[in-house]
Amino acid sequence: MIVEQPAGSMQSFVADSKTRKVELEYQPRDRPPAYSDAGGSVIQRRLQPPALPPRHAGPSSTTIASRSTATTREDYGPRSPRLPPKDDKLRGHSPRPTVDQVHIFERKEDIKGTYFVDPTIPALDKSHRKKGRSRHPPPHASFRSRRGDVTLDLATTGNVQQAPKANVNVSSLSGEIKINLLPVSPISPRIGLDACSRTGNVILFLPQGFSGVVHLSTRSGELDILPGLADVVKFVKRTEKEIIFMIDDHRNKLDTQDNSREASFCQLESRSGKLVVGLKNRWNIEEGPPTYSPKATSSDPKDVATVIEGSIDSLSSSLRSLSVKIHEHPELMLEEKYAHDLLSTFMATHGFQVTRNNLGLETAWRAEYSQGTGGRVIGINSEMDALRGMGHACGHNLIAISGVGVAIALKAALQARNDVSGKVVLLGTPAEESGGGKVILLERGAYDEMDVCIMSHPAPGVPHSSSVGSSNAMQSMTVEYFGQSAHAGAAPWDGTNALDAAFLAYSGISMLRQQMRPDHRVHGVVEGKNWSPNVIPDYSKMTWLARAPTYAELGVFVKRVQNCLQAAALATGCRINLEVAPPYFDLRQNPVLAQAFADIVGSRYNVATFPDGTSASTDFGNVSYAIPTEPQGGNHTPAFARAAISEAAHEATLTIAKGLALMGYRVLSDAEFFSKVKASFDQGKAPSL
């Protein structure tokens, strides 16, 4: 059975699987719900629907019930496969489901739909339950089928402080059960899911940000945790017949009363079927990453796509050579002279007008190609700097060649279609790891004429995947403590210990971590000069990075960190010099560009794109893509530096470059598409600060 209700509708739907009839009627709010004897249909009273989760549109209040359904759930246990007794034995004992009380029973038909369950609505009346039949409390929603499949999208509504958990029972004797839990606001109630099939498969997809416990058990079936989920869970028990694991997303922790901290719990059972759990959109059961319709690729003519892909493929060996050379010559911020000369010379040989030492930055450069007049301007970034002591452990050698490949491919596409006007600008941007090179270039007007600017960034993850999620805002602080040296053994009282100030500041910030939000970050290092154990240190230096999900939150958090630094100087009597660098804002992705990119790489290259964000930070928004790495080999590790020079990483970079180039050409050639991009940008623009 499939029952749909338009979003925002105020009607109450009542469906019965025997008579296949649907009735709807309004009754005054102060009257109790009426019950019809015709086919077991229930006529529901009209109530004001509860608010839905903020990120999901759907039915504002859907009630699907029947007399046989509701009574079956009341008289029998949550997973009882038995059928209800005849209706003549149930007259006068019908429970009273209300708005968002969903109870469906089917014999042969499938059950399919999207349901929002509000646990603040009272569960079925316990007074009608037959004594001794079940020890389980009545659920807030139930879905039972004898031979049909059950396919559900589930979410909770309401407030966790009013009701901590919504209990949902799903069962089928021989059909397959497939449940997709929808993401909800952290203030929404948790979900208690009990799904059971005797011989069919039970499949559960968890949303990003899910926190809770999942329990799988079977007698003779198989248990399977999909790859995208297996990497982020903590297994409590794992045998051939039973798996228990926990998954925790710190962003969902609330500073509320104790009853709001109850975790979600999902229990899956099958005697002989297969039990499968995965993260939503990570992997399909057998096919691997999701596929996309070729129609969604773009409006580009086929020959232009061929030109772009052929151009990047023909550059593969040259781009590989550039990547290896940059990787073997790592340079720190604002010292990227080798990469500056190498890349700017390469762009000049490919017909670009090159400006070296761009806008007063010695290691910045600009490469430009234009065609026609009055066209739009597409910008691309190529990063170059490395990490101290680790080299290219963030893969900036790959970012450099990605930008080069996109720019040259767009030039080739414009030349193939001389009726399209436009300008391609590639910026060599130094000092991303620290120094805010793009911030400086932005202030000096490097991005002023651009209509759209794009780039990519490698990261660890699922093979053949990319991400268009957000990243945290960040601000760097450098603090110096100046004291007075003295003989540590003869006259320590004559000294003022600058190292003590650094240690006290470090301890204070460590204490601060206990009270800061789980999605905030702060980390730093201590430096000094000419230290000796028998001399009171008269100088110490610390560099700190503070991160928060948004710029507004970052400002408040940075002030708390600065208080710790100032307090250490006051306590030790040291003089302090505190310098705060310009902030990196949190990334605001353009959803129109993100969707276009996802459609292109999904349909043409079978690359799955996820909305996952990162708690790291950048001085520019970007598309992240996965490269194969060693275990615990994420960004800023020696393992990632080794991964960034691999052939597999190179191939992944070229694939993403093709997708960016195809999307970039659409910006240049499709005025209607660009108008949607611009409207989306204007709508999501941050207020002036």
Side-chain angles (χ1 to χ4, degrees):
M1 182 202 324
I2 302 176
V3 180
E4 297 181 355
Q5 178 182 9
S9 173
M10 293 292 292
Q11 291 107 345
S12 295
F13 280 81
V14 182
D16 180 77
S17 62
K18 276 187 174 182
T19 60
R20 320 307 304 160
K21 64 190 292 185
V22 175
E23 299 183 9
L24 64 98
E25 180 176 321
Y26 292 126
Q27 293 200 6
R29 183 170 181 145
D30 57 350
R31 294 177 57 187
Y35 292 85
S36 167
D37 291 333
S41 296
V42 181
I43 301 174
Q44 186 70 25
R45 60 180 173 178
R46 176 182 178 182
L47 297 179
Q48 187 69 23
L52 293 182
R55 292 173 57 190
H56 298 280
S60 56
S61 109
T62 303
T63 301
I64 304 175
S66 71
R67 165 177 285 189
S68 59
T69 298
T71 355
T72 302
R73 289 302 314 115
E74 184 182 39
D75 288 342
Y76 298 98
R79 297 189 298 276
S80 174
R82 290 178 289 178
L83 296 177
K86 296 180 179 180
D87 283 348
D88 56 5
K89 295 183 180 180
L90 300 175
R91 297 184 186 277
H93 296 283
S94 298
R96 298 187 174 189
T98 56
V99 170
D100 287 304
Q101 279 283 296
V102 185
H103 300 275
I104 302 176
F105 170 74
E106 282 291 346
R107 296 177 183 270
K108 299 179 181 179
E109 298 291 332
D110 294 340
I111 300 174
K112 182 178 182 180
T114 300
Y115 304 96
F116 297 86
V117 184
D118 188 347
T120 61
I121 302 299
L124 298 178
D125 189 354
K126 295 183 180 181
S127 63
H128 299 299
R129 293 170 60 84
K130 294 185 178 180
K131 294 183 179 181
R133 284 295 182 94
S134 175
R135 296 178 290 104
H136 301 277
H140 300 95
S142 62
F143 308 87
R144 296 183 57 205
S145 178
R146 232 179 131 75
R147 298 183 180 89
D149 295 337
V150 182
T151 305
L152 305 173
D153 291 326
L154 291 177
T156 61
T157 64
N159 193 295
V160 69
Q161 291 180 308
Q162 298 175 346
K165 184 180 290 186
N167 295 310
V168 180
N169 292 152
V170 184
S171 63
S172 177
L173 284 180
S174 57
E176 180 178 83
I177 297 175
K178 185 175 181 180
I179 301 171
N180 177 33
L181 297 184
L182 301 176
V184 295
S185 166
I187 66 171
S188 295
R190 311 299 185 258
I191 192 165
L193 175 65
D194 193 342
C196 176
S197 178
R198 180 174 292 178
T199 59
N201 299 331
V202 181
I203 302 168
L204 173 66
F205 286 106
L206 304 174
Q208 300 294 328
F210 175 86
S211 294
V213 178
V214 179
H215 180 198
L216 293 75
S217 62
T218 183
R219 294 185 182 179
S220 58
E222 298 180 17
L223 307 179
D224 190 9
I225 309 298
L226 297 183
L229 177 63
D231 298 335
V232 297
V233 304
K234 179 180 180 181
F235 289 97
V236 178
K237 182 177 182 180
R238 191 168 190 176
T239 67
E240 291 184 358
K241 303 304 178 185
E242 185 178 19
I243 293 178
I244 303 175
F245 65 81
M246 298 185 297
I247 179 171
D248 183 25
D249 184 89
H250 295 291
R251 293 170 294 182
N252 282 352
K253 289 186 177 179
L254 301 175
D255 188 16
T256 56
Q257 299 176 357
D258 289 342
N259 67 341
S260 70
R261 297 184 182 275
E262 186 171 355
S264 293
F265 181 78
C266 300
Q267 180 166 311
L268 280 59
E269 297 181 52
S270 180
R271 292 186 181 180
S272 57
K274 187 173 184 178
L275 302 178
V276 182
V277 183
L279 283 178
K280 182 184 177 185
N281 294 332
R282 282 286 181 156
W283 295 97
N284 288 339
I285 301 302
E286 297 176 354
E287 296 84 355
T291 58
Y292 296 77
S293 169
K295 295 180 181 179
T297 303
S298 73
S299 60
D300 299 342
K302 182 179 179 180
D303 59 324
V304 171
T306 302
V307 168
I308 286 175
E309 292 170 343
S311 174
I312 292 179
D313 287 338
S314 67
L315 290 170
S316 178
S317 61
S318 299
L319 295 176
R320 174 68 174 162
S321 177
L322 290 176
S323 175
V324 171
K325 289 178 180 178
I326 294 173
H327 191 277
E328 292 176 348
H329 294 81
E331 299 166 300
L332 302 181
M333 66 169 186
L334 302 177
E335 298 176 2
E336 309 95 334
K337 296 180 181 179
Y338 178 84
H340 168 278
D341 295 342
L342 182 70
L343 295 170
S344 60
T345 300
F346 186 83
M347 296 305 296
T349 61
H350 282 79
F352 281 74
Q353 180 182 344
V354 174
T355 302
R356 295 175 172 86
N357 314 127
N358 189 34
L359 296 175
L361 285 179
E362 187 178 358
T363 55
W365 52 272
R366 170 190 170 103
E368 174 187 325
Y369 173 82
S370 61
Q371 176 174 290
T373 58
R376 286 174 285 278
V377 180
I378 184 81
I380 311 111
N381 290 319
S382 283
E383 296 177 357
M384 303 168 288
D385 60 323
L387 289 161
R388 186 184 303 274
M390 286 190 180
H392 281 285
C394 206
H396 289 191
N397 58 307
L398 300 175
I399 300 175
I401 66 166
S402 172
V404 168
V406 171
I408 295 177
L410 285 173
K411 173 178 176 285
L414 288 174
Q415 290 176 330
R417 289 291 304 273
N418 53 21
D419 59 324
V420 178
S421 297
K423 181 186 289 187
V424 181
V425 176
L426 173 62
L427 295 180
T429 58
E432 187 276 337
E433 293 296 350
S434 58
K438 297 185 196 67
V439 177
I440 298 172
L441 291 173
L442 178 67
E443 293 172 346
R444 297 182 183 182
Y447 297 92
D448 287 355
E449 67 173 332
M450 296 179 187
D451 293 297
V452 168
C453 192
I454 58 179
M455 67 172 289
S456 65
H457 200 299
V462 179
H464 306 293
S465 68
S466 63
S467 170
V468 289
S470 182
S471 61
N472 278 359
M474 184 198 71
Q475 195 157 23
S476 172
M477 292 162 281
T478 301
V479 59
E480 295 177 292
Y481 295 108
F482 301 91
Q484 174 64 49
S485 61
H487 195 291
W493 49 85
D494 289 337
T496 303
N497 198 320
L499 184 57
D500 281 351
F503 284 164
L504 189 57
Y506 197 99
S507 298
I509 292 174
S510 295
M511 294 289 187
L512 176 64
R513 287 192 178 97
Q514 186 177 9
Q515 272 70 47
M516 75 185 197
R517 294 183 178 274
D519 51 9
H520 288 44
R521 301 286 188 273
V522 60
H523 35 92
V525 294
V526 181
E527 303 175 58
K529 61 180 181 180
N530 302 323
W531 285 346
S532 175
N534 64 345
V535 177
I536 300 296
D538 62 355
Y539 175 82
S540 65
K541 177 181 178 181
M542 308 181 80
T543 302
W544 288 94
L545 299 178
R547 307 177 195 262
T550 65
Y551 175 75
E553 293 174 280
L554 178 66
V556 176
F557 184 47
V558 166
K559 181 61 178 175
R560 298 181 70 186
V561 175
Q562 290 177 350
N563 289 341
C564 295
L565 302 177
Q566 297 280 5
L570 180 64
T572 58
C574 290
R575 181 169 58 89
I576 182 175
N577 178 41
L578 178 60
E579 295 181 0
V580 181
Y584 289 10
F585 281 58
D586 49 302
L587 166 59
R588 293 177 179 267
Q589 290 282 13
N590 185 291
V592 177
L593 286 176
Q595 186 61 57
F597 172 81
D599 291 343
I600 291 170
V601 298
S603 62
R604 300 189 72 88
Y605 314 120
N606 201 31
V607 173
T609 302
F610 308 120
D612 303 2
T614 174
S615 57
S617 311
T618 176
D619 59 0
F620 191 85
N622 58 74
V623 171
S624 297
Y625 61 97
I627 64 173
T629 62
E630 303 172 18
Q632 298 182 333
N635 296 72
H636 293 203
T637 66
F640 196 86
R642 293 190 292 271
I645 199 61
S646 66
E647 286 281 357
H650 177 73
E651 292 300 324
T653 301
L654 296 193
T655 298
I656 297 301
K658 293 174 183 177
L660 287 174
L662 286 166
M663 183 188 69
Y665 180 77
R666 190 175 180 188
V667 170
L668 297 175
S669 62
D670 189 338
E672 182 180 357
F673 173 70
F674 175 72
S675 67
K676 294 179 181 178
V677 173
K678 182 68 164 58
S680 177
F681 173 79
D682 292 339
Q683 183 179 5
K685 188 182 296 184
S688 300
L689 296 171

